[in-house]
Amino acid sequence: MNQVVQAEKRDVLVMVEQSREGLSAALADRIGVDRFMRAAVTTLRTTPALRNCTPESVLGGLFLAAQLGLEVGGPLAYAHVVPYGKDAQLIVGVRGFVELFYRAGASDVQAYIVREGDEIHRETVDGRVRVFWRDAD
């Protein structure tokens, strides 16, 4: 039985490598395919739970990241492929959203941590967002 589990784990890595050409086409010159593949394989190796996910869901997350031109994992944390039981899902990080906004033509992007109970007010003078946090109890 252990050999079957090991074979399934390898299958995800093998399927990612076999999808190299498709991922390259999806990347559209935003990131080099070699760099993207290294990041993908590193993500799979450093997140063992991903190897227990269905290969299709892992590949789906990687293809979506490639289409968006966002590298998965790594120190910049543009996007993450995250295991949810047997399925993997792409989660775009804050830096990934900021990158996408700039690519779409935004001239200024501001990101804030907003928690439940925080009040958000927009200043009318310069159009910037100002966040007012609630007092800690």
Side-chain angles (χ1 to χ4, degrees), residues 69-80:
L70 298 175
E71 187 175 324
V72 295
L76 295 178
Y78 285 124
H80 309 275

Side-chain angles (χ1 to χ4, degrees), residues 73-128:
L76 295 178
Y78 285 124
H80 309 275
V81 179
V82 179
Y84 288 100
K86 291 289 183 187
D87 289 321
Q89 183 175 351
L90 181 74
I91 303 294
V92 177
V94 173
R95 291 182 180 150
F97 278 115
V98 170
E99 174 69 19
L100 292 173
F101 286 133
Y102 279 125
R103 285 189 207 160
S107 60
D108 184 36
V109 177
Q110 299 173 20
Y112 297 93
I113 296 173
V114 180
R115 296 177 179 89
E116 186 176 341
D118 289 346
E119 296 180 34
I120 305 170
H121 299 282
R122 180 177 295 276
E123 293 181 1
T124 56
V125 176
D126 61 2
R128 290 183 179 264

